[in-house]
Amino acid sequence: MATTADIIITNGRVLTMDGAALRADAVALAGNRILAVGPGSEIDALMGPTTTVIDAKGGTVMPGFNEAHMHIFPGSVSLRQLNLHGVQGVEALKIAILDYANKNPDEPLLMGFSADYSIISLTEPCTRHHLDAILPDRPFMMFAPDHHTAWANTAALEKAGILQGKDVGIGNEIVIGPDGLANGELREGNAFGPVSALASTGGREELGMVTGMDPENVTPEQFALDRAILKAGLDYCASWGVTSIQNFDGNHYQLRLMRDLEQAGELTCRMRIPFHMKNFMPLSDLDKAAEWKKEFATDMLRGDFVKVFMDGVLDSQTAYMLDGYGDRPGYTYEPLFTPEAFDSIAVKADGLGLQVAVHAIGSAAIRQTIDGYEAAVKVNGKQDNRHRIEHIEIIHPDDIPRFAELGIVASMQPVHYPGGTCFPAEPTTAKIGEDRWDYAYAWRTMKEAGAPVVFASDWPVSPVSPFQCIQDALTRKPWKDGLKDQRFSLMEALEAYTAIGAWVEFMEDRKGMLKPGYLADVVILTRDIEAVAPEDIMDTVRPAVTICDGRITFQA
């Protein structure tokens, strides 16, 4: 290993996230590795004539954030779209849409994102008629924050050929109005996919989620456009201190785009992209996932796990529930896979040495996923594949201890908590039901039960900022007195964004901590985060410098 540092970071509050030596004065980097962590006098001795010295100015110095669940392609595209977060009421929506339309005269499909389910009002759901009254002559569609529901105007529905409705398969729905035509609400990817395809990107950003398939006949110009969009999204993530991304939609096309960026030295975050197993795919397709694991296997880019959707989301009532919804007793919806089908997937993937990560929000979806992982243990024996469940928004108490028993990872997003900094409490809390509030978004409960808990934003469902997620983890208020306190400490939240994130993706031997020999992934914060009041973190703490693989990827 080198004896002279390329970069020295000094005058910072170093949090290594290494329990054996949590604090230090300075950090030295050489190439793409951490050369030394320790007292300032020892680090100064590693300085050479070409060493770059970064003054942290008293800010926290820590491992780069590991974003353990996001959607990089839709998120990157969203940077070019209309952000409707916080917009409420028809008049505010009209102003936002018309302004965006005027600024984008040539876009074939105008698209918005982060439109709240109650964007019209708490009592009146959005329909194509609301959107037609604002923009009747150009196709427009807007996504809910969760990206599981979209609303389109008549022009978009007509151009996509779905105004008359269409069979879009189990778990998906084009909602039909009293007039026998689509009312504008599109639930899940098969329903809104035909509209997304109208965009200038051809909807390629959604394919990793909707079909898991590659786009057909991509021209060099389209590839270049997608590459540029992703590069902008990766740079944006780096500006938030992110050095590693575990993506949660995938296809071979995204991996090829990322490899092109990697080979050009332009990949500013480490990327992990899954094989997306859909319910129409034969079980043998998992062999492709095993091949991806071999094909993409560098420290910067890997394709080494399997993603599955078991259900939808609470707000559109597409989450699969054991005992109905709080505001709709007896209505449970349906899973996207039968128990037998998912058991087969879990058993085969586990046997191939592939980690499986399942989107499961409702209590029945979570139980069915756990049952599948248990089936894999019975067939293959207990292996260290670190299978995951994503979101876990409402769990039955009987299933909580099964995480530790089976070694299942709880991948959760504190920023999703209704009533926190991002999303309103209603209508979600009503759909959960007051009798189940203690088992909703229960990250402290999961941790105390022995489950490894990892944090992420789920961008673009919610903002990519780790600081907003950390603040929600530290400041959550219960919906009523007597509920369990689900808050994390600051160190627990930081660990869930660094060391545990690295462990979950089998890289705990080389990242997630600041240790000699580890990969040089570092973020320097503008402030000492330990000295900031929890309720001020998201507004006052930012990255000053982000370093990934020994390269400065962001500097304020």
Side-chain angles (χ1 to χ4, degrees):
M1 198 175 199
T3 55
T4 301
D6 294 318
I7 297 175
I8 285 177
I9 304 166
T10 187
N11 193 26
R13 303 276 295 177
V14 179
L15 290 177
T16 67
M17 303 316 298
D18 175 8
L22 180 62
R23 300 181 187 278
D25 296 330
V27 181
L29 312 178
N32 74 336
R33 297 281 171 168
I34 296 172
L35 179 60
V37 180
S41 57
E42 291 183 12
I43 302 302
D44 287 346
L46 300 171
M47 192 177 301
T50 61
T51 301
T52 297
V53 178
I54 301 176
D55 183 353
K57 300 179 181 178
T60 297
V61 179
M62 57 178 285
F65 291 111
N66 189 324
E67 170 58 53
H69 184 123
M70 73 143 64
H71 303 275
I72 186 63
F73 206 169
S76 299
V77 170
S78 77
L79 297 176
R80 303 153 57 101
Q81 296 174 342
L82 172 61
N83 186 347
L84 292 167
H85 178 68
V87 173
Q88 289 291 325
V90 172
E91 190 57 33
L93 181 60
K94 179 179 180 179
I95 292 169
I97 291 175
L98 293 182
D99 179 64
Y100 186 71
N102 289 334
K103 290 176 179 176
N104 294 272
D106 300 322
E107 175 56 49
L109 173 68
L110 295 162
M111 294 186 70
F113 73 101
S114 208
D116 196 80
Y117 279 89
S118 58
I119 194 165
I120 302 301
S121 77
L122 275 172
T123 58
E124 187 178 6
C126 183
T127 70
R128 64 185 171 96
H129 305 295
H130 293 106
L131 301 177
D132 290 348
I134 295 171
L135 193 72
D137 55 350
R138 293 181 65 186
F140 174 81
M141 181 170 72
M142 61 185 187
F143 280 105
D146 54 39
H147 269 240
H148 284 261
T149 299
W151 297 270
N153 67 359
T154 302
L157 296 168
E158 284 182 328
K159 193 168 183 180
I162 59 173
L163 182 60
Q164 311 295 326
K166 180 183 177 182
D167 180 5
V168 288
I170 294 173
N172 300 262
E173 183 181 3
I174 297 171
V175 178
I176 301 299
D179 58 0
L181 300 175
N183 80 347
E185 183 174 342
L186 306 169
R187 297 177 179 175
E188 304 298 335
N190 290 355
F192 55 69
V195 180
S196 294
L198 303 174
S200 56
T201 62
R204 293 184 297 277
E205 73 277 12
E206 296 290 339
L207 293 182
M209 188 175 306
V210 175
T211 69
M213 304 291 193
D214 289 347
E216 297 179 1
N217 305 316
V218 176
T219 66
E221 293 77 16
Q222 289 171 330
F223 187 91
L225 172 63
D226 295 346
R227 186 188 188 279
I229 288 171
L230 283 168
K231 179 66 169 64
L234 289 164
D235 291 348
Y236 179 71
C237 292
S239 77
W240 285 102
V242 173
T243 57
S244 291
I245 293 170
Q246 299 181 53
N247 206 49
F248 267 79
D249 59 273
N251 52 17
H252 200 263
Y253 180 63
Q254 285 190 55
L255 282 160
R256 294 197 303 273
L257 284 161
M258 293 297 175
R259 182 164 58 191
D260 195 73
L261 287 164
E262 179 189 18
Q263 291 174 344
E266 298 178 56
L267 194 56
T268 48
C269 301
R270 302 184 192 279
M271 285 298 310
R272 189 178 188 222
I273 292 177
F275 179 88
H276 195 161
M277 188 71 180
K278 304 292 286 188
N279 57 12
F280 53 80
M281 294 177 175
L283 193 62
S284 59
D285 273 6
L286 287 172
D287 293 325
K288 297 178 186 176
E291 289 302 315
W292 290 13
K293 186 175 180 179
K294 297 174 186 176
E295 184 181 0
F296 301 94
T298 70
D299 282 340
M300 287 301 298
L301 177 62
R302 292 181 300 145
D304 62 348
F305 73 113
V306 176
K307 162 70 184 294
V308 176
F309 270 112
M310 188 62 76
D311 67 347
V313 294
L314 289 165
D315 286 344
S316 66
Q317 296 191 334
T318 54
Y320 180 39
M321 303 286 278
L322 281 172
D323 44 4
Y325 286 75
D327 59 355
R328 198 174 175 185
Y331 178 77
T332 61
Y333 205 61
E334 57 189 341
L336 294 169
F337 291 83
T338 65
E340 296 76 19
F342 180 70
D343 286 359
S344 297
I345 291 168
V347 169
K348 182 173 175 67
D350 183 75
L352 290 169
L354 293 166
Q355 183 185 56
V356 181
V358 178
H359 166 118
I361 280 181
S363 52
I366 294 166
R367 177 168 294 179
Q368 185 168 309
T369 303
I370 297 171
D371 289 346
Y373 291 156
E374 189 171 55
V377 170
K378 289 176 180 176
V379 173
N380 301 324
K382 197 164 187 178
Q383 304 189 76
D384 187 25
N385 285 330
R386 305 178 192 180
H387 299 312
R388 307 167 49 151
I389 300 182
E390 310 300 311
H391 310 309
I392 315 171
E393 292 188 358
I394 173 65
I395 187 169
H396 192 282
D398 291 350
D399 292 320
I400 293 171
R402 299 177 71 193
F403 277 74
E405 292 165 7
L406 294 166
I408 301 169
V409 175
S411 173
M412 306 182 79
Q413 298 74 40
V415 72
H416 285 184
Y417 175 73
T421 61
C422 196
F423 300 123
E426 295 298 348
T428 315
T429 54
K431 294 184 184 301
I432 294 168
E434 189 171 345
D435 60 323
R436 290 173 288 193
W437 282 353
D438 231 3
Y439 302 102
Y441 307 87
W443 52 81
R444 164 61 63 192
T445 297
M446 300 303 297
K447 185 176 179 66
E448 289 181 354
V453 177
V454 64
F455 282 164
S457 71
D458 199 13
W459 187 59
V461 170
S462 38
V464 77
S465 166
F467 310 105
Q468 186 167 356
C469 195
I470 289 166
Q471 177 169 316
D472 278 329
L474 271 56
T475 62
R476 171 175 170 176
K477 293 180 173 62
W479 292 314
K480 68 174 183 178
D481 292 340
L483 295 182
K484 181 177 176 60
D485 185 349
Q486 297 290 346
R487 290 176 297 173
F488 266 32
S489 70
L490 175 62
M491 286 304 167
E492 288 172 329
L494 294 178
E495 185 184 38
Y497 247 115
T498 54
I500 297 177
W503 178 86
V504 166
E505 57 171 328
F506 306 93
M507 294 184 76
E508 71 272 21
D509 63 338
R510 55 199 185 278
K511 72 175 185 179
M513 301 181 193
L514 301 183
K515 293 177 66 172
Y518 273 46
L519 293 164
D521 296 354
V522 186
V523 61
I524 304 168
L525 305 183
T526 54
R527 298 186 62 179
D528 173 6
I529 195 170
E530 293 180 273
V532 177
E535 63 273 15
D536 294 333
I537 288 174
M538 66 177 277
D539 291 327
T540 63
V541 182
R542 291 290 184 273
V545 179
T546 306
I547 300 169
C548 179
D549 208 45
R551 295 175 293 132
I552 294 175
T553 54
F554 170 76
Q555 196 156 16

